[in-house]
């Protein structure tokens, strides 16, 4: 049914001039101000929507510097609204104005409703992309919401935990609690569900310090997924950069989601947990030139998206986008207004929503200047100079979907980076595909080859074994091949470079011996991750053996495939205990989370080296050892007497010393604990070797047998 339309707005409500800032809808007791950027439009209508399907259009007559604006009295918080924009229709020139499409305000603070895939959501007529569609989209698209929120933060302040003290837990808002039996049923899968003691206490007890939420900016599924009866579960298909995703709110979508999100952040902060958002500024849900017209495209295509351009001088640009995201479009952060939108969004989430940082998806796409990756780009420079943003946690995924976008180790301060080289080389080590021990040692010590040459620190490396995309940890030791048939793409999607090992049997098994090996391998990798220099990131559920049954690209699986199974009967609790113990050691001992690079020499005259690498024979590693392709066992001595980093008042810090042994061989490995002048006795404080359990006491000079594929950590007595 078509919405009712009243065009005589002058008889119903006066439109005051209002002001051109702030962008979006700003409520006051006197009126609500609306401001939207559409510099090449010839006319703009604000559309207020009622609950019976009625639409009242108010023409905005004021335009200031490309911003259409007006104030309307009597508009209450919770009111739904959208825009209709008139202007030239010339897709070949990047002009796609179509007043038949109800557009979502790019600066809306909340979004109501969901997207229904219908031909009406596309700006062009099906069958002829050059012809403007005459179908009205209002019945099929989500709308903005006027928000007024007086949330009581109760003195909540930024935590600003140091990077070297940070442990990240990457989780999905819905997947974390959708099956959680100790979260009230009506709160499962929501922001409020995350704020319950069942979740908060679990995270604190595990030992993480920050949650990294998969995308919570308002997103919609791709039409192609809807056609297959699937949806976008992960959320990497953003429609609005200011509004918390409404489907994750238990309390409603008329602004209640804003309050509920804030309450979640406050609860995490009260528990000492920071909140980091995974943000997707590199592309939008409008996809390529034949995608839907939902928001940005309808206001002015050219100010948001990079166009392909023409390779022939003097010829017009083709009607295509330049895409280095693999999603149909690339947001042009070099355009002044697109840059402003990104910066305004980031500041909003920090100042109004109190988040502590951001992980930028496909960050290389946003650093492009004239299509080249540029570490002096507009966005990086602006964030580095911003007095709010430069002090929050900033994580780059340092690549995009192009060949030249891979930039691991190149992002400038204050950025830290996802380190996929750590992921790959640690996986290869534990599956016996590493070409020796040299690169593994570099990763354990903080990846100095990537971050030391430009003055950065070990914590610039975000270390991870798994992430949301790819195998879970359990699947990494259970499958050698992806099993993505449920995604509806004939198993063509997802990477084939899994660096996994099924230990001889593809998939789950009832063989107790094989299960034990897999669980020990998972525990080995978690211990390695938590005790490496750098910042560890754990994927939610890995610590308890979550499986996706071999699906390594579960982006469209909003079901038990992706949700965490909290039942204890199939949980890998031994892996959980190793993870918890490793994080406890890291938290309690600054020797295991150092700020400065190891130098391989004493920190004080006559003292031990701050770091020494040991051969299984008990001697220090020699040059030839580093090139031995058959060496799969190494000892890592970390001195705590004293540390290279001073304490908060400049005092010398002293900690226990540690000896960490990593044995990736298929057979038990004899090792000798070296005689030395500094550490004479120790005790096992973490072990995946049943024959060397926690509490085992050792002395310098002891000869021991490390079990096959094990990690054992000794602490100085």
């Amino acid at each position: 049914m078509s919405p009712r339309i009243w065009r005589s707005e002058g008889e119903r409500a006066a439109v005051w001039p209002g002001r051109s800032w702030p962008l979006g809808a700003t409520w006051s007791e006197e009126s609500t101000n609306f401001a939207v950027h559409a510099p090449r439009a010839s006319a703009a209508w604000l559309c207020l929507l009622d609950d019976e399907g009625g639409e009242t259009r108010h023409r905005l007559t004021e335009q200031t510097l490309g911003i259409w604006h007006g104030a309307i009295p009597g508009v209450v918080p919770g009111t739904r609204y959208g825009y209709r924009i008139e202007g030239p229709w010339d897709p070949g020139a990047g002009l796609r104005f179509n007043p038949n499409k109800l557009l979502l305000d790019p600066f809306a603070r909340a979004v109501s409703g969901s997207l229904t895939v219908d031909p009406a959501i596309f700006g062009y007529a099906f069958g002829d992309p050059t012809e403007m569609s005459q179908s009205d989209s209002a019945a099929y698209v989500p709308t903005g919401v006027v928000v007024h929120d007086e949330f009581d933060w109760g003195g909540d302040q930024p935590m600003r935990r140091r990077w070297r003290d940070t442990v990240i837990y990457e989780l999905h808002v819905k997947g974390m609690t959708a099956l959680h039996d100790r979260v009230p049923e009506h709160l499962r899968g929501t922001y409020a569900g995350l704020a319950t003691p069942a979740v908060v206490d679990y995270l604190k007890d595990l030992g993480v310090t920050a949650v990294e939420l998969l995308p919570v900016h308002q997103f919609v599924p791709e039409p192609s997924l809807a056609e297959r009866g699937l949806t976008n579960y992960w959320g990497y298909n953003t429609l609005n950069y200011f509004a918390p995703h409404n489907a994750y709110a238990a309390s409603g979508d008329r602004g209640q989601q804003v309050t509920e999100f804030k309450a979640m952040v406050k609860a995490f902060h009260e528990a000492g947990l920071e909140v980091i958002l995974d943000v997707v500024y590199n592309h939008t849900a409008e996809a390529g030139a034949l995608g839907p017209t939902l928001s940005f495209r309808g206001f002015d295509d050219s100010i948001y998206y990079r166009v392909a351009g023409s390779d022939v001088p003097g010829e017009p640009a083709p009607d295509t986008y330049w895409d280095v995201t693999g999603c149909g479009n690339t947001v042009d952060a070099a355009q002044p207004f697109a840059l402003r939108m990104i910066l305004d969004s980031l500041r909003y989430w920090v100042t109004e929503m109190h988040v502590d940082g951001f992980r930028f998806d496909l960050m290389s796409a946003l650093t492009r200047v004239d299509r080249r990756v540029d570490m002096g780009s507009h966005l990086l420079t602006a964030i580095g100079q911003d007095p709010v943003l430069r002090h929050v946690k900033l994580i780059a995924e340092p690549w995009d979907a192009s060949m030249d976008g891979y930039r691991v180790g190149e992002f400038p301060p204050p950025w830290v980076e996802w380190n996929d080289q750590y992921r790959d080389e640690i996986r290869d080590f534990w599956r016996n595909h590493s070409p020796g021990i040299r690169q593994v040692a570099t990763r354990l010590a903080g990846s100095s080859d990537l971050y030391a040459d430009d003055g950065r620190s070990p914590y610039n490396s975000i270390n991870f074994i798994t992430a949301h995309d790819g195998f879970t940890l359990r699947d990494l030791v259970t499958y050698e091949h992806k099993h993505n048939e449920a995604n509806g793409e004939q198993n063509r999607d997802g990477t084939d470079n899994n660096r996994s090992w099924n230990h001889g049997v593809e998939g789950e098994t009832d063989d107790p011996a094989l299960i034990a090996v897999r669980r020990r391998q998972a525990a080995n990798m978690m211990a390695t991750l938590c005790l490496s220099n750098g910042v560890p990131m754990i994927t939610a559920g890995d610590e308890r053996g979550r499986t996706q049954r071999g699906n390594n690209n579960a982006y469209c699986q909003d079901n038990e495939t992706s949700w965490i199974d909290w039942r204890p009967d199939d949980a890998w609790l031994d892996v959980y205990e190793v993870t918890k113990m490793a994080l406890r050691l890291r938290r309690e001992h600054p020797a295991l989370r150092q700020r400065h690079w190891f130098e391989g020499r004493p920190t004080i005259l006559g003292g031990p080296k701050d770091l020494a690498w040991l051969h299984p024979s008990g001697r220090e590693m020699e040059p030839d050892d580093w090139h031995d392709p058959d060496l799969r066992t190494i000892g890592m001595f970390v001195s705590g007497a004293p540390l290279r980093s001073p304490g908060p008042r400049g005092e010398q810090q002293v900690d226990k010393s540690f000896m960490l042994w990593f044995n990736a061989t298929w057979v038990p490995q004899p090792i000798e604990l070296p005689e030395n002048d500094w550490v004479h006795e120790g005790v096992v404080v973490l072990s995946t070797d049943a024959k060397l359990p926690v509490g085992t006491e050792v002395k310098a000079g002891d000869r021991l047998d490390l079990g096959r594929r094990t990690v054992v950590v000794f602490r100085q007595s």
Side-chain angles (χ1 to χ4, degrees):
M1 178 182 295
S2 299
R4 300 194 307 274
I5 300 174
W6 295 276
R7 296 185 181 278
S8 54
E9 70 271 13
E11 298 176 8
R12 299 184 60 84
V15 180
W16 302 347
R19 61 183 187 273
S20 61
W21 56 273
L23 290 162
T26 307
W27 180 87
S28 71
E29 292 184 358
E30 183 179 47
S31 65
T32 298
N33 191 81
F34 296 88
V36 68
H37 187 67
R40 296 200 291 178
S42 57
W45 286 270
L46 170 71
C47 306
L48 301 180
L49 309 168
D50 63 35
D51 293 337
E52 287 72 43
E55 175 184 329
T56 305
R57 299 183 186 179
H58 301 276
R59 183 162 185 168
L60 301 179
T61 60
E62 299 296 320
Q63 189 194 53
T64 304
L65 301 176
I67 297 173
W68 298 84
H69 54 92
I72 302 177
V75 176
V76 298
T79 299
R80 296 183 302 125
Y81 74 99
Y83 288 97
R84 295 182 185 273
I85 304 296
E86 190 170 284
W89 173 261
D90 186 0
L95 300 170
R96 294 181 171 87
F97 296 105
N98 187 338
N100 299 303
K101 309 305 165 186
L102 185 68
L103 304 176
L104 176 65
D105 181 0
F107 282 71
R109 279 6 183 216
V111 174
S112 177
S114 58
L115 178 69
T116 300
V117 177
D118 185 271
I121 69 174
F122 296 88
Y124 57 90
F126 268 32
D128 186 0
T130 66
E131 180 183 345
M132 186 172 72
S133 166
Q134 301 300 316
S135 300
D136 195 300
S137 68
Y140 307 102
V141 296
T143 61
V145 178
V146 176
V147 174
H148 178 65
D149 176 71
E150 295 181 347
F151 185 78
D152 181 8
W153 283 103
D156 183 79
Q157 295 293 323
M159 299 179 66
R160 293 181 178 165
R161 180 177 281 109
R162 297 176 300 188
W163 269 121
R164 65 180 180 272
D165 300 332
T166 298
V167 177
I168 298 172
Y169 192 82
E170 186 199 43
L171 66 85
H172 187 282
V173 172
K174 182 175 183 180
M176 188 72 180
T177 63
L179 297 175
H180 205 308
D181 59 342
R182 290 187 292 117
V183 173
E185 188 170 356
H186 69 287
L187 299 181
R188 294 175 190 171
T190 69
Y191 305 120
L194 283 185
T196 59
V199 175
V200 173
D201 293 347
Y202 175 85
L203 296 173
K204 287 180 60 180
D205 187 59
L206 179 62
V208 301
T209 70
V211 294
E212 181 176 304
L213 306 181
L214 265 67
V216 297
H217 289 163
Q218 188 70 40
F219 62 87
V220 295
E222 297 88 341
S224 61
L225 282 178
E227 291 172 359
R228 302 202 302 268
L230 300 170
T231 190
N232 190 310
Y233 170 68
W234 287 347
Y236 292 90
N237 204 44
T238 307
L239 182 60
N240 178 282
Y241 293 111
F242 293 83
H245 188 59
N246 57 22
Y248 296 157
S251 51
D253 71 353
R254 296 295 185 88
Q256 298 96 329
Q257 62 264 56
V258 176
T259 302
E260 187 173 326
F261 184 92
K262 290 179 178 179
M264 176 199 69
V265 173
K266 183 178 179 181
F268 277 133
H269 284 180
E270 289 174 346
L273 298 167
E274 292 183 299
V275 177
I276 299 170
L277 302 187
D278 192 336
V279 290
V280 192
Y281 293 107
N282 60 79
H283 73 276
T284 80
E286 292 185 317
L290 298 182
T293 296
L294 306 173
S295 181
F296 314 97
R297 173 177 287 133
F299 290 104
D300 194 331
D301 192 76
S302 67
I303 63 176
Y304 291 107
Y305 302 127
R306 287 184 176 272
V307 297
S310 173
D311 294 328
V312 180
E315 289 192 5
D319 182 22
T320 56
Y321 292 147
W322 189 64
D323 178 17
V324 291
T325 67
C327 299
N329 65 57
T330 302
V331 172
D332 190 354
Q335 284 283 352
F337 188 78
L339 177 63
R340 173 182 173 179
M341 178 188 68
I342 295 171
L343 294 171
D344 284 358
S345 168
L346 292 169
R347 281 190 291 263
Y348 172 77
W349 287 96
V350 173
T351 59
E352 297 297 324
M353 307 295 262
H354 284 212
V355 304
D356 302 282
F358 306 93
R359 177 264 184 190
F360 288 74
D361 181 66
L362 300 182
M363 185 62 189
S364 292
L366 290 167
T367 67
R368 302 267 177 174
V369 176
D370 296 329
R371 303 192 190 179
R372 295 177 297 99
V373 174
D374 186 346
M375 292 304 157
S377 66
H378 305 73
L379 182 59
L380 291 178
T381 300
I383 290 176
Q385 297 299 317
D386 190 285
V388 172
L389 299 178
R390 67 190 180 204
H391 296 297
V392 304
K393 285 183 163 64
L394 299 169
I395 306 170
E397 183 182 38
W399 52 79
D400 56 26
S402 70
M403 294 296 293
D404 65 324
Y406 185 80
R407 299 301 173 119
V408 174
E410 296 183 22
F411 276 76
W415 292 85
V416 305
E417 302 173 6
W418 270 25
N419 185 352
D420 66 330
Q421 295 185 33
Y422 177 95
R423 174 198 65 197
D424 292 349
E425 287 162 15
I426 298 302
R427 286 186 182 191
D428 282 350
F429 173 71
W430 284 112
R431 70 187 184 114
N432 272 293
H433 278 248
S434 176
I437 211 74
R438 184 176 183 178
Q439 287 298 104
V440 172
T442 300
R443 301 296 160 240
L444 293 172
S447 296
S448 59
D449 58 330
L450 298 174
Y451 304 108
D453 59 343
D454 55 1
R456 288 189 287 169
S457 300
Y459 59 70
N460 284 98
S461 176
I462 302 293
N463 299 330
F464 64 104
I465 303 291
T466 69
H468 61 275
D469 53 344
F471 281 150
T472 67
L473 183 64
R474 178 171 178 163
D475 290 355
L476 194 66
V477 298
T478 306
Y479 298 90
E480 289 191 13
H481 309 286
K482 65 188 180 185
H483 297 270
N484 299 354
E485 291 81 6
N487 296 353
E489 300 179 41
Q490 292 76 51
N491 205 35
R492 294 192 301 263
D493 62 305
T495 183
D496 293 311
N497 183 26
N498 294 297
R499 299 174 186 257
S500 59
W501 183 26
N502 64 18
H503 295 79
V505 176
E506 184 74 356
E508 297 290 337
T509 179
D510 294 328
D511 183 342
L514 184 53
I515 293 173
V517 170
R518 289 173 171 176
R519 291 168 75 145
R520 187 166 69 250
Q521 286 283 70
N524 288 338
M525 284 187 275
M526 289 298 279
T528 305
L529 171 65
C530 296
L531 297 175
S532 296
N533 219 13
V535 179
M537 185 187 79
I538 298 169
T539 304
D542 270 358
E543 76 283 0
R544 54 186 298 113
R546 183 176 76 88
T547 176
Q548 294 178 170
R549 305 296 178 187
N551 192 323
N552 75 351
N553 190 36
Y555 75 103
C556 56
Q557 298 297 323
D558 187 5
N559 50 50
E560 289 84 353
T561 298
S562 299
W563 305 340
I564 296 178
D565 185 352
W566 291 94
R567 294 175 301 177
D569 54 320
D570 195 41
W572 287 9
L573 297 181
D574 47 348
V575 179
Y576 170 84
E577 291 298 334
V578 167
T579 305
K580 181 178 176 179
M581 176 56 73
L583 291 179
R584 179 181 175 183
L585 290 172
R586 183 183 185 92
R587 179 174 63 253
E588 293 180 350
H589 293 282
L592 298 176
R593 46 181 171 83
Q594 298 205 29
R595 169 191 173 195
H596 293 297
W597 294 106
F598 294 116
E599 298 183 13
R601 60 184 180 86
T603 56
I604 57 173
L605 187 64
K609 293 180 178 180
D610 59 355
L611 174 68
W613 297 104
L614 299 178
H615 190 272
S617 64
R619 60 175 171 78
E620 282 198 53
M621 291 280 286
E622 298 175 352
D624 288 346
D625 297 327
W626 293 113
H627 300 281
D628 181 355
D630 297 321
L631 185 60
R632 294 286 187 273
T633 305
I634 193 169
M636 180 181 182
F637 172 77
V638 178
S639 173
L643 302 181
R644 196 167 295 283
S645 299
R649 293 175 176 81
E651 71 275 17
Q652 188 177 77
Q653 291 192 98
V654 176
D655 192 12
K656 298 289 187 180
S657 296
F658 287 84
M659 177 76 73
L660 298 82
W661 281 97
F662 305 90
N663 178 29
T665 62
W666 297 9
V667 295
Q669 174 66 57
I671 63 169
E672 183 171 339
L673 303 183
E675 299 277 5
N676 64 89
D677 295 331
W678 304 282
V679 179
H680 304 292
E681 296 179 337
V683 62
V684 175
V685 290
L686 183 146
S687 177
T688 63
D689 185 349
K691 294 183 179 180
L692 282 173
V694 171
T696 301
E697 296 182 350
V698 295
K699 295 181 180 179
D702 282 353
R703 301 178 67 88
L704 306 170
D705 280 334
L706 286 183
R708 58 180 184 169
R709 307 188 191 99
T710 53
V711 174
V712 179
V713 179
F714 303 96
R715 183 180 63 199
Q716 176 186 12
S717 295

